[in-house]
Amino acid sequence: MALVEADGTAAQPHVQSLCADAGNHGARPLAALADAAHYLCLLHGRFPGVVDHAATRSTDNAARKWLLQVCEAFADERATLTRVSVALGPVPSTSGQNNCDSAVLQQRHALEMLSQSDRRGCAMGAALTLVLDWVGVRHLLDRAAIRAGIEPSKCALPSVEDTLSVARAIAIDEASARAIQFGARQLLNQHRGLWALMQARASIRTTEG
C-alpha cells in the first residue's frame, strides 16, 4: 500500500491535473482525457489481462475467492473503459503517434510477461497492485465520465482492505513477500510510464497548438 501511495496513479501530477480539469467546465481537458482513456484501453482493455493471467498462475487457496471476484469485476471495468473512451471522442492528433502506440503496446507486453511469471508471488503481486492502484484510475474515469455526460458505473472490485488481507495471507515467507513486492513495483513502473507519456503528449499538443 505504501508503494501505491507513493508511486501509484493517484500520486501522478498529470492525473491530478486531469481530475481537477475534469471538474472545471471552464477548462478544456477533453483532449487530454480522451488521450488517457484511449491509452488505458490499449494497456488494460484487452482480455485476458493481468488479473486473468494471474488467476491461471496462482495456487494459493487464500487468493482463490478474491481472484474470482476480481476477474469478474475487471470484465466490467474493461467495459467501463471502452464506454468512457467512446464518450470522450477520438484520440487527439499528436506528433509521434506511432511511437506512442508502440510504447504502450510494449508496456502491455511487459505486463503480460509479468502476470504469467512462474516465480511464486510475482503475478499475484502485479494483480493485487493493479486492484489497489485502480482506485486512482477509477477516480479519473469517473470524473471523465461525468464530464462526458454519462453516469459512472459502480465498481465491483474488492475493497482495499480485502485486497491487503489477501496479500498478507499469501506472503507466507520472505521469498514470497519479495516476489509480491517485485510484481507490485513492476506494475507501478508501467503505470508511471504511461502517465509520463500522457503528460508528454499533452505538452506536445500545447506547443503545437
Side-chain angles (χ1 to χ4, degrees):
M1 196 64 225
L3 292 173
V4 173
E5 289 174 351
D7 294 327
T9 291
Q12 302 307 309
H14 185 62
V15 175
Q16 293 171 354
S17 176
L18 286 176
C19 287
D21 284 348
N24 177 11
H25 286 256
R28 299 174 57 192
L30 285 181
L33 287 172
D35 217 29
H38 169 76
Y39 281 103
L40 278 168
C41 277
L42 198 57
L43 189 63
H44 289 299
R46 176 192 285 185
F47 175 84
V50 170
V51 294
D52 308 292
H53 286 306
T56 67
R57 296 284 171 173
S58 176
T59 58
D60 292 290
N61 288 331
R64 189 167 299 168
K65 181 180 178 181
W66 181 89
L67 280 166
L68 288 173
Q69 181 182 352
V70 171
C71 288
E72 183 176 344
F74 215 85
D76 293 336
E77 293 304 296
R78 282 191 286 267
T80 295
L81 259 178
T82 301
R83 188 166 65 102
V84 173
S85 183
V86 170
L88 289 170
V91 183
S93 177
T94 310
S95 296
Q97 183 75 38
N98 290 337
N99 291 336
C100 293
D101 290 356
S102 296
V104 177
L105 287 173
Q106 288 173 7
Q107 288 185 310
R108 187 172 74 190
H109 179 69
L111 289 178
E112 287 174 349
M113 294 300 98
L114 179 67
S115 57
Q116 295 179 76
S117 172
D118 289 328
R119 181 183 176 189
R120 187 179 185 277
C122 185
M124 277 299 300
L128 289 161
T129 306
L130 176 59
V131 172
L132 293 173
D133 197 44
W134 201 256
V135 174
V137 174
R138 197 45 146 79
H139 179 65
L140 174 61
L141 289 177
D142 287 349
R143 300 296 294 269
I146 292 169
R147 182 60 192 269
I150 59 177
E151 183 73 19
S153 60
K154 184 178 179 180
C155 182
L157 286 170
S159 68
V160 169
E161 291 76 15
D162 287 347
T163 300
L164 291 175
S165 292
V166 171
R168 286 189 289 267
I170 66 174
I172 57 175
D173 52 39
E174 188 175 344
S176 297
R178 284 199 304 268
I180 290 169
Q181 289 209 6
F182 176 81
R185 292 180 190 277
Q186 293 304 308
L187 185 284
L188 291 174
N189 283 344
Q190 298 304 328
H191 279 191
R192 192 166 59 249
L194 175 72
W195 297 120
L197 179 63
M198 295 299 95
Q199 187 168 25
R201 283 172 58 81
S203 297
I204 290 171
R205 288 193 299 274
T206 299
T207 302
E208 294 176 337

